[in-house]
Amino acid sequence: MSTMGDGTRAVRAGLPEPEQFEPTLPGPVFAAHFHLSGEPTGPYTYGRDTNPTWTHLERAIGELEAPGEPVETTVFASGMAAISAVLLSQARTGDVVVLPDDGYQALPLVREQLETYGVEVRTAPTGDDAQLAVLEGAKLLWIETPSNPGLDVCDVRRLVEAAHSAGTLVAVDNTLATPLGQRPLELGADFSVASDTKGTTGHGDILLGHVTCRDPELAAGVRRWRKVVGAIPGPMEAWLAHRSLATLELRIDRQCATALTLAEVLGKRPEVTGLRYPGLPSDPSYPKAVRQMRRFGSVVSFVLPDRERAERFLTELRLVDDATSFGGVRSTAERRARWGGDAVPEGFIRFSVGVESPADLVADVERALDAAMGER
């Protein structure tokens, strides 16, 4: 499948060999245990270890992450379960781990846990490849590119080269890009990690995460962690995720095209500042993004003058849900500062573009901006 287009690969990924009178994608297998006589040498023994529905999904994600290459994917109950599995399976007391200081909001919670275990954690921003300055002696470098919610981009190849030359492992959080937008393993990373709750499955109805590795030993450590902590996805969630992969290219292409159009429109609005979208040629991240990304994602961020007008903008939107996730078929937006924890202005908006008709969505945004900036 390495020579196939992304759409064909997404539709066919992970499917078993055809069997007469059987469905193309077998239904979810609900089982806590399996028939098991004699020695437990088969592929399916107990439901916390393996499940046929996971197997199909893991093969599918692996085919998208690294087409035509032997990789191992492990699926998890959520993106945070996947993130934690990499960090907590690799780091030991006395190790050094480097994290971004502008990454996903829950990373500080993982940092606290690592430090509780005696791991030294250093942080630096994603932009300007700043993590290079704190890399010395690290066991693991964690990259998030594009970063969430600021949408900064770092040069993955450059960081990987520096890290590997010093014996440091590299994990890339690829949630914003998805495997169709960026392939971290091709850029040299040891782990490609994502919250598939977001764009990969794209319907806002399941929680899921995954880790993909080339190195079987690294993959075994991640898989063992899943077994120990029991952070397993339900069969129905895994099946729904696999079903959703078939439309990945269709969704992502529409979302990325509309996101660029929206960013261009927002760039002309005088009340909008701090506009970021990696696919916008004027964006500071564009020169790096265009060298390593194949698609630039569905998220646009920008700043409105103050909290009150940002809230009014969100209230006035008719085709956009005020929600905290991103990557779904329905557009969402939120005033990110409402959570605390992110170093963003009070009027900072994270906008996730869905698959609505572009003209309708842009018109809704412009109307809401006009209403929000009008006389109070």
Side-chain angles (χ1 to χ4, degrees):
M1 291 181 67
S2 60
T3 59
M4 292 182 180
D6 285 341
T8 305
R9 187 177 298 111
V11 167
R12 303 297 307 176
L15 298 181
E17 289 298 316
E19 290 189 33
Q20 188 77 338
F21 310 121
E22 292 295 322
T24 304
L25 177 61
V29 175
F30 298 99
H33 55 80
F34 302 82
H35 289 295
L36 184 66
S37 58
E39 295 301 316
T41 57
Y44 305 109
T45 58
Y46 185 66
R48 191 182 69 253
D49 299 338
T50 51
N51 178 289
T53 309
W54 303 349
T55 299
H56 294 314
L57 176 60
E58 288 172 343
R59 288 173 181 169
I61 293 173
E63 289 169 13
L64 298 177
E65 286 276 11
E69 297 185 37
V71 296
E72 293 189 32
T73 296
T74 304
V75 291
F76 288 86
S78 69
M80 278 307 300
I83 290 169
S84 300
V86 174
L87 288 164
L88 297 174
S89 71
Q90 297 302 312
R92 303 288 185 271
T93 300
D95 286 343
V96 174
V97 169
V98 176
L99 301 179
D101 64 13
D102 55 349
Y104 179 53
Q105 191 182 56
L107 273 182
L109 301 177
V110 183
R111 174 181 183 169
E112 291 175 10
Q113 194 63 53
L114 288 167
E115 291 174 337
T116 298
Y117 293 152
V119 176
E120 179 187 344
V121 180
R122 303 174 190 157
T123 64
T126 298
D128 298 321
D129 302 337
Q131 289 173 295
L132 287 172
V134 294
L135 196 57
E136 184 177 355
K139 170 71 178 295
L140 176 69
L141 166 64
W142 187 271
I143 295 171
E144 185 178 306
T145 183
S147 62
N148 171 30
L151 303 182
D152 270 324
V153 171
C154 61
D155 186 333
V156 176
R157 291 185 184 91
R158 182 186 181 199
L159 268 68
V160 165
E161 182 179 355
H164 284 176
S165 67
T168 302
L169 296 169
V170 180
V172 176
D173 184 334
N174 201 41
T175 300
L176 266 159
T178 81
L180 264 59
Q182 185 171 256
R183 293 179 183 150
L185 299 184
E186 288 186 0
L187 299 173
D190 300 289
F191 305 90
S192 180
V193 188
S195 169
D196 302 307
T197 307
K198 313 299 193 301
T200 304
T201 60
H203 288 76
D205 53 9
I206 57 175
L207 293 174
L208 197 83
H210 81 267
V211 179
T212 302
C213 308
R214 277 201 182 93
D215 186 327
E217 289 189 19
L218 294 178
V222 169
R223 198 170 289 265
R224 180 180 182 277
W225 183 263
R226 181 181 69 180
K227 177 178 179 177
V228 168
V229 301
I232 58 173
M236 192 67 199
E237 286 79 5
W239 185 87
L240 285 169
H242 198 166
R243 184 279 316 264
S244 299
L245 290 181
T247 60
L248 180 57
E249 186 193 46
L250 298 174
R251 292 185 280 106
I252 295 297
D253 280 352
R254 167 62 75 88
Q255 289 170 301
C256 291
T258 306
L260 179 58
T261 298
L262 179 62
E264 291 169 342
V265 169
L266 290 170
K268 298 174 183 176
R269 300 284 305 210
E271 64 270 54
V272 170
T273 60
L275 175 67
R276 298 301 303 270
Y277 181 65
L280 195 64
S282 59
D283 190 274
S285 290
Y286 181 80
K288 289 179 181 177
V290 77
R291 291 197 301 269
Q292 64 192 26
M293 299 184 72
R294 301 161 63 241
R295 295 170 175 86
F296 300 104
S298 63
V299 178
V300 179
S301 67
F302 55 96
V303 180
L304 295 180
D306 53 44
R307 173 176 179 163
E308 182 180 353
R309 280 177 281 192
E311 293 284 5
R312 188 174 177 188
F313 165 69
L314 295 171
T315 300
E316 292 289 343
L317 290 167
R318 296 291 177 263
L319 302 180
V320 182
D321 296 329
D322 192 342
T324 192
S325 195
F326 61 85
V329 292
R330 288 171 287 277
S331 291
T332 60
E334 71 169 334
R335 191 181 66 83
R336 191 64 186 165
R338 65 181 175 176
W339 297 97
D342 290 317
V344 295
E346 287 293 327
F348 182 97
I349 301 292
R350 185 181 70 180
F351 195 109
S352 173
V353 175
V355 300
E356 298 88 357
S357 297
D360 294 338
L361 184 63
V362 169
D364 189 43
V365 169
E366 292 219 86
R367 182 197 53 75
L369 282 172
D370 289 341
M373 300 303 150
E375 290 297 325
R376 289 171 284 171

